[in-house]
């Protein structure tokens, strides 16, 4: 039946692939008036040629949950809509052919157990029983996930589209979007060749064209297109409909059954970009020319695993471009640049696996005004200024694609597109052996190699080559002093007549203090979850200086700006690039800083939790007495042109006090001993301050209203069902990385959010939530006996509810 083209809708979704149709399905079922626009026909972009494997396990519990939502939907969708989906829950098999890969797979099995996902470790012979066609001579072991499966991409998308229509959504094909109309920074309408559609919300699900659609609204969507090839064979004897999907990462290949034959593809180490000079307008149900030369190495690897491929007939070699992102994760959420503009794109060749769940959470995000749970790994606000350059994005994305099946080593760094953003100290630190990591384009010293040590990372699942160097830096901070270059910190100014009132609403802690005060605070969502974790220094009656983590620059700026109450005179400015930051930390910090300034920095004159302007070695410095490593010290914020002078003066004065350069990996070991939380790991939107042991930093005893207060008050009355705790192991040789399963009295009770080693306490340390539906308090936690599962083995663990080091803060307040 013909539909009249609409002139208005509550939400307009752009793109008729699986993500757009899934979002339309879920948003319409939430009661929204939805219009979906597709430039050509449904599935005609990259959906129709997707391979269709559906795996669920990821390194994030919530992304694993999201993928599980896809499986849950695909199991019932055909019965609901009457359209076939091709869904088969035939399980997924993953091989390990080296000792390092086997360690990775065993750790993945532990992660699966942590997240409640069924996963079994198999011997080579057991794996071959599930997949009889493969040669297992080089296989060390395998993992099997029985709830994984496969689907027909076009069929499942058409089924979602029918379900969306059944719920009231209107879908229009052959409609080209020509522009996005904005009004005062907010979506107002979508412009098309057929007319204007006024709307509250736009959801950009345009796949490879999402970057172009985003640009229409001034929104950056950092993705590029990469050629991806797979082969479809004729029938092969022994290939049965119930054959599990197979991933063979050491041979860079994957397989699934199709009509009695096999689909075989892979992720080559030398990927080929597509659309470098722009994407074609008309690419409907189109493919690129097969590149047999480029596919030959993949084929040779596959023949070693599945010898029957040598005699199999080849139906087709598919070469279909797909959108990929710089970190291998997809992109969801409201764009920080424009209110009401949402993105669901960049699915890195697992759009079918993600489609059902991604559409669900994106619809709930649109309808609820916030993500339904913590989706930070895929949140569009994880990107920053460096992602605005398409050349940089492409270089990083090609490296991410090439690493798709390489071992995901702990602390592994990307190398493409570097160096880009550099502190004024970059050259000086490099000359002193700094080994840099990168975050949001910033070069940051991870550790320092001494004379005779190779200044490079060598990755492993065992103790890494930087272990000794980090221990050396750790001890310097504890025993003498260390200096950290933290110039990459995000730094904002909030100014204006209503700055105090605005921050008092947004911050959970009390920032309405006199100038010179420094406040550690969280910013909460309406559920009481922690959206930001930062420090606020009051510089004047109408001026606040905000410092937060490097990777949270876009996210935190957006959160603060959007939550300033309407009508308040408060202006937020990002001044990250104006100031360098050095953290001088350790028992000798005052002895080093004191001679370089004429101002009094004694504990009486400059106590912990204060901010003051100092002149240090001729440089104007904003000094914040705060710590993330658990020692006496200051963050020294200095204009970039003075940075090198200040650093040289500190190093010269510090030479006789044992001052040492230290990096971010030492910060991690130091903060674990102090039980300091890390946003994005230990705390986030799914965790409240009460659950995280941060109730002391919330102004519940005052009458001041703040965002999230009602939720915290309700939780305080009802009690919590999870509580953050610290764990140690007696065996110093065990490596904790995070996501290890917590067992309490023999029952699964959570997982570690962080893991590492404490060089002062001499033990592996983990941080994680102990969970129980019946309620959790200190008495409950202390009454239990604990174990951690590490790579499949259970190890006795000791519970700690207070910091392992200097619990009374005597050293910090010295």
């Amino acid at each position: 039946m013909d539909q009249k083209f609409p002139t208005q809708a509550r939400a307009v979704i752009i793109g008729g692939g699986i993500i757009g149709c899934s979002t339309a399905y879920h948003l319409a079922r939430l009661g929204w008036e939805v219009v979906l626009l597709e430039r050509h026909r449904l599935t005609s972009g990259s959906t129709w040629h997707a391979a269709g494997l559906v795996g669920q396990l990821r390194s994030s519990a919530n992304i694993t949950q999201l993928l599980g939502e896809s499986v849950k939907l695909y199991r019932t969708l055909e019965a609901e809509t009457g359209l076939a989906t091709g869904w088969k829950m035939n399980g997924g098999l993953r091989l390990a052919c080296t000792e390092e890969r086997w360690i990775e797979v065993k750790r993945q099995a532990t992660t699966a157990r942590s997240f409640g996902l069924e996963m079994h470790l198999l011997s080579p012979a057991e794996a071959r029983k599930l997949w009889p066609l493969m040669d297992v001579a080089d296989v060390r072991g395998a993992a099997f996930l029985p709830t994984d499966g496969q689907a027909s991409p076009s069929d499942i998308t058409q089924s979602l589209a029918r379900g969306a229509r059944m719920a009231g959504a209107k879908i229009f094909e052959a409609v080209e979007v020509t522009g996005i109309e904005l009004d005062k920074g907010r979506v107002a309408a979508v412009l098309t060749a057929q007319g204007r559609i006024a709307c509250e919300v736009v959801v950009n699900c345009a796949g490879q064209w999402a970057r172009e659609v985003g640009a229409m609204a001034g929104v950056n969507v950092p993705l590029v297109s990469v050629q991806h090839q797979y082969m479809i064979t004729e029938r092969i004897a022994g290939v049965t409909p119930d054959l599990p999907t197979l991933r063979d990462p050491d041979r860079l290949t994957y397989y699934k059954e199709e009509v009695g034959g096999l689909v075989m593809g892979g992720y080559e180490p030398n990927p080929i970009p597509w659309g470098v000079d722009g994407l074609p307008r008309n690419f409907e149900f189109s493919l690129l020319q097969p590149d047999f030369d480029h596919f030959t190495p993949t084929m040779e690897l596959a023949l070693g695993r599945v010898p029957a491929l040598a005699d199999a007939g080849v139906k087709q070699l598919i070469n279909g471009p797909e959108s990929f992102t710089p970190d291998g994760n997809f992109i969801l959420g409201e764009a920080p640049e424009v209110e009401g503009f949402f993105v669901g794109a960049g699915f890195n060749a697992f759009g079918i696996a993600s489609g059902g769940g991604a559409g669900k959470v994106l619809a709930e995000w649109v309808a609820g005004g916030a993500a339904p749970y913590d989706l930070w790994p895929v949140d569009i606000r994880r990107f920053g200024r460096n992602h605005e350059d398409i050349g940089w994005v492409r270089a990083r994305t090609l490296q991410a694609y090439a690493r798709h099946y390489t071992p995901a080593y702990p602390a592994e760094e990307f190398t493409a597109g570097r160096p880009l953003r550099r502190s004024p100290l970059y050259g000086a630190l490099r000359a002193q052996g700094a080994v840099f990591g990168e975050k949001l384009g910033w070069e940051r010293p991870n550790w320092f190699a001494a004379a005779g040590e190779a200044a490079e990372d060598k990755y492993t699942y065992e103790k890494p080559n930087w272990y000794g160097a980090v221990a050396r830096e750790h001890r310097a901070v504890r025993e003498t002093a260390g200096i950290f270059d933290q110039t990459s910190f995000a730094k904002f100014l909030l100014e204006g007549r209503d700055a105090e009132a605005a921050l008092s609403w947004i911050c959970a802690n009390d920032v309405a203090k006199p100038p010179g005060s420094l406040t550690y605070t969280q910013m909460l969502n309406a559920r009481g979850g922690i959206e930001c974790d930062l420090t606020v220094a009051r510089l004047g009656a109408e001026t606040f200086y905000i410092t937060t983590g490097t990777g949270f620059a876009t996210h935190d700026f957006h959160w603060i700006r959007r939550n300033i109450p309407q009508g308040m005179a408060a202006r937020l400015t990002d001044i990250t690039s104006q100031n360098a930051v050095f953290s001088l930390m350790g028992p000798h910090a005052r002895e080093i800083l004191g001679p370089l300034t004429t101002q009094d920095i004694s504990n009486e004159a400059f106590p912990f939790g204060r901010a003051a302007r100092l002149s240090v070695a001729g440089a104007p410095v904003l000094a914040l007495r705060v710590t993330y490593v658990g020692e006496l010290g200051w963050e020294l914020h200095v204009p970039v042109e003075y940075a090198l002078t200040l650093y040289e003066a500190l190093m010269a004065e510090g030479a006789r006090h044992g001052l040492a350069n230290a990096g971010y990996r030492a910060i991690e070991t130091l903060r674990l001993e102090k039980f300091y939380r890390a946003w994005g790991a230990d705390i986030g939107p799914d965790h409240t301050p009460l659950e995280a042991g941060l109730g002391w930093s919330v102004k519940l005893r005052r009458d001041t209203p703040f965002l999230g207060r009602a939720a915290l008050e309700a939780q305080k009355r009802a009690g919590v069902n999870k509580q953050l705790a610290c764990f140690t192991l007696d065996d110093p040789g065990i490596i904790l990385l995070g996501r290890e399963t917590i067992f309490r009295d023999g029952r699964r009770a959570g997982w570690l959010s962080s893991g590492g080693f404490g060089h002062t306490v001499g033990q592996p340390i983990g941080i994680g939530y102990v969970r129980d539906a019946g309620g959790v308090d200190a008495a409950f936690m202390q009454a239990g006996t604990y174990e951690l599962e590490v790579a499949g083995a259970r190890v006795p663990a000791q519970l700690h509810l207070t910091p392992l080091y200097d619990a009374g803060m005597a050293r910090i307040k010295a």
Side-chain angles (χ1 to χ4, degrees):
M1 183 175 71
D2 290 337
Q3 298 182 95
K4 183 179 179 182
F5 194 76
T7 58
Q8 65 179 35
R10 195 170 182 194
V12 174
I13 298 169
I14 302 172
I18 189 167
I19 308 304
C21 289
S22 178
T23 305
Y25 168 89
H26 287 99
L27 198 51
R29 285 165 60 91
L30 290 172
W32 274 55
E33 179 191 18
V34 177
V35 168
L36 184 148
L37 306 177
E38 164 55 45
R39 181 163 62 176
H40 298 300
R41 285 178 287 170
L42 298 183
T43 81
S44 63
S46 60
T47 294
W48 75 277
H49 62 71
L53 282 73
V54 179
Q56 298 168 81
L57 182 62
R58 293 294 184 272
S59 60
S60 158
N62 285 356
I63 304 307
T64 298
Q65 176 184 330
L66 181 154
L67 296 170
E69 292 288 347
S70 292
V71 170
K72 195 181 301 182
L73 174 64
Y74 298 165
R75 295 173 72 173
T76 61
L77 187 63
E78 183 173 336
E80 177 188 337
T81 66
L83 281 185
T85 62
W87 167 248
K88 288 194 301 185
M89 198 169 75
N90 48 343
L93 195 60
R94 179 178 289 264
L95 305 181
C97 300
T98 66
E99 188 58 33
E100 284 277 282
R101 181 75 72 178
W102 184 229
I103 293 172
E104 178 183 51
V105 168
K106 287 191 291 185
R107 285 188 173 272
Q108 288 172 337
T110 291
T111 298
R113 194 182 322 279
S114 293
F115 299 166
L117 184 64
E118 187 179 357
M119 184 173 181
H120 305 282
L121 293 176
L122 308 179
S123 69
E126 290 170 326
R128 194 171 187 276
K129 283 183 180 179
L130 290 174
W131 229 88
L133 283 79
M134 67 174 169
D135 185 330
V136 295
D138 64 335
V139 174
R140 177 69 179 79
F144 180 63
L145 289 95
T147 58
D148 280 359
Q150 63 187 67
S152 168
S154 292
D155 289 348
I156 211 160
T157 303
Q158 293 291 352
S159 189
L160 284 165
R162 175 175 284 186
R165 292 187 182 103
M166 289 165 62
K170 297 177 180 179
I171 298 177
F172 295 87
E173 298 177 287
V175 176
E176 182 168 2
V177 172
T178 58
I180 310 292
E181 185 181 308
L182 306 179
D183 182 23
K184 297 177 182 176
R186 167 163 199 102
V187 164
V190 173
L191 308 179
T192 79
Q194 277 87 334
R196 177 182 183 272
I197 307 175
C199 58
E200 297 175 22
V201 167
V202 168
V203 188
N204 176 7
C205 299
Q208 297 175 94
W209 290 268
R211 187 180 180 93
E212 293 182 3
V213 171
M216 293 178 182
V219 169
N220 182 41
V221 184
L223 54 79
V224 296
S225 297
V226 182
Q227 298 184 30
H228 184 73
Q229 296 194 104
Y230 63 84
M231 181 181 73
I232 306 173
T233 76
E234 302 285 358
R235 288 183 178 273
I236 298 174
V239 174
T240 58
D242 61 348
L243 196 70
T245 61
L246 175 67
R247 292 170 179 81
D248 186 4
D250 290 310
R251 290 179 179 265
L252 310 179
T253 49
Y254 62 81
Y255 308 80
K256 77 163 188 172
E257 182 273 339
E258 185 162 303
V259 198
L262 289 175
V263 167
M264 184 278 290
Y267 289 84
E268 60 274 18
N270 55 340
I272 301 174
W274 182 68
V276 175
D277 298 320
L279 300 179
R281 292 172 58 80
N282 298 307
F283 199 72
E284 180 184 4
F285 293 114
S286 298
L287 294 170
L288 306 178
Q289 284 298 315
D291 190 337
F292 285 93
D293 289 341
H294 198 248
F295 194 71
T296 296
T298 302
M299 186 67 193
E300 291 171 346
L301 289 167
L303 286 169
R305 179 66 61 225
V306 188
L309 286 172
D311 301 316
V314 177
K315 279 185 180 179
Q316 192 176 8
L317 180 62
I318 300 286
N319 186 357
E322 299 197 38
S323 59
F324 289 80
T325 64
D327 60 5
N329 285 322
F330 51 90
I331 304 172
L332 288 184
E334 186 176 23
E337 300 95 333
V338 175
E339 194 172 348
F341 189 98
F342 289 77
V343 178
F347 280 84
N348 299 273
F350 59 97
I352 309 306
S354 311
K360 182 177 188 292
V361 299
L362 190 53
E364 291 170 354
W365 202 329
V366 170
Y373 46 84
D374 183 3
L375 293 167
W376 177 242
V378 298
D379 193 318
I380 190 171
R381 293 170 295 179
R382 72 187 188 272
F383 299 118
R385 296 177 186 174
N386 51 309
H387 296 96
E388 295 172 2
D389 179 74
I390 187 67
W392 192 94
V393 168
R394 182 173 290 109
R396 180 58 60 85
T397 300
L398 291 176
Q399 186 174 39
Y401 180 105
R403 286 186 179 181
H404 187 87
Y405 274 154
T406 61
Y409 286 116
E412 187 173 12
E413 296 278 354
F414 284 101
T415 57
R418 296 177 56 188
L420 183 63
R421 304 173 78 180
R422 286 180 265 187
S423 154
L425 299 192
Y426 177 80
L429 298 182
R430 188 175 181 182
Q432 296 177 78
V435 180
F436 291 90
E438 177 267 336
K439 183 164 283 189
L440 220 61
W442 280 101
E443 294 294 317
R444 312 192 313 169
N446 276 339
W447 61 282
F448 288 80
E453 293 178 338
E456 61 179 337
D457 286 338
K458 295 179 182 177
Y459 300 112
T460 177
Y461 282 101
E462 304 299 336
K463 284 187 179 179
N465 69 308
W466 60 80
Y467 178 88
V470 171
R472 188 169 60 234
E473 296 166 24
H474 180 116
R475 285 192 293 269
V477 174
R478 289 280 184 254
E479 297 168 8
T480 54
I483 187 168
F484 303 90
D485 181 4
Q486 297 191 276
T487 296
S488 64
F489 271 160
K491 300 165 286 274
F492 314 140
L493 276 183
L494 186 70
E495 301 172 285
R497 181 183 65 249
D498 299 320
E500 179 188 300
L503 268 187
S504 291
W505 166 249
I506 301 169
C507 293
N509 206 346
D510 182 17
V511 296
K513 300 174 182 176
S517 300
L518 180 64
T519 305
Y520 167 63
T521 185
Q522 287 80 47
M523 296 176 171
L524 310 181
N525 55 39
R527 304 188 307 271
I530 301 170
E531 290 286 348
C532 309
D533 182 68
L534 40 73
T535 57
V536 177
R538 187 165 199 170
L539 304 186
E542 298 183 356
T543 305
F544 293 83
Y545 185 90
I546 301 169
T547 308
T548 189
T550 305
F552 315 134
T554 305
H555 174 278
D556 288 8
F557 187 90
H558 175 250
W559 182 264
I560 296 168
R561 187 182 64 186
R562 71 174 290 190
N563 284 294
I564 295 172
Q566 191 170 5
M568 283 196 179
R571 181 179 68 258
L572 187 67
T573 308
D574 187 335
I575 61 165
T576 297
S577 297
Q578 293 183 18
N579 289 342
V581 181
F582 309 138
S583 292
L584 177 65
M585 298 287 158
H588 294 177
R590 186 178 284 115
E591 298 167 60
I592 295 168
L593 183 62
L596 300 177
T597 180
T598 58
Q599 286 140 296
D600 187 355
I601 61 167
S602 66
N603 191 56
E604 294 72 25
F606 199 154
F608 182 75
R610 297 288 294 172
R613 295 193 180 277
L614 306 177
S615 178
V616 183
V621 171
L622 173 61
L624 311 181
R625 190 160 170 207
V626 65
T627 183
Y628 193 53
V629 298
E631 298 291 345
L632 167 68
W634 288 265
E635 280 179 18
L636 305 174
H637 294 241
V638 58
V640 291
E641 67 270 27
Y642 293 93
L644 188 57
T645 297
L646 176 60
Y647 172 76
E648 290 173 343
L650 291 168
M651 291 301 287
E653 183 62 35
R656 60 195 179 91
H657 296 286
L659 179 62
N661 287 306
Y664 273 81
R665 289 185 181 147
I667 292 175
E668 182 68 6
T669 67
L670 291 157
R671 72 99 181 171
L672 287 172
E673 291 185 336
K674 284 294 294 176
F675 198 4
Y676 287 151
R677 287 75 167 153
W679 195 91
D682 313 311
I683 55 176
D686 292 344
H687 312 300
T688 72
L690 302 182
E691 295 165 338
L694 294 171
W696 57 268
S697 67
V698 179
K699 55 192 175 194
L700 284 178
R701 293 181 181 178
R702 297 175 179 269
D703 294 332
T704 310
F706 62 89
L707 181 58
R709 178 175 187 131
L712 288 193
E713 288 176 331
Q715 187 179 64
K716 191 169 185 179
R717 289 191 297 269
V720 300
N721 57 20
K722 64 181 178 184
Q723 188 75 50
L724 196 65
C726 182
F727 299 89
T728 56
L729 306 179
D730 290 335
D731 184 349
I734 294 175
I735 309 293
L736 296 181
L737 301 174
R739 299 183 299 280
E740 290 84 359
T741 314
I742 301 168
F743 286 89
R744 180 186 181 274
D745 294 342
R747 296 177 58 189
R748 182 167 60 90
W751 61 90
L752 296 187
S753 48
S754 294
F757 191 83
H759 294 284
T760 303
V761 300
Q763 291 178 295
I765 302 171
I767 294 175
Y769 288 89
V770 175
R771 301 161 188 258
D772 190 274
V776 176
D777 58 18
F780 173 87
M781 290 195 288
Q782 290 170 331
T785 300
Y786 293 89
E787 297 171 296
L788 300 179
E789 181 182 313
V790 184
R794 289 201 197 178
V795 184
Q798 291 74 49
L799 174 86
H800 307 270
L801 300 182
T802 57
L804 301 169
Y805 176 82
D806 189 28
M809 297 180 64
R811 296 174 69 88
I812 293 170
K813 296 182 176 181

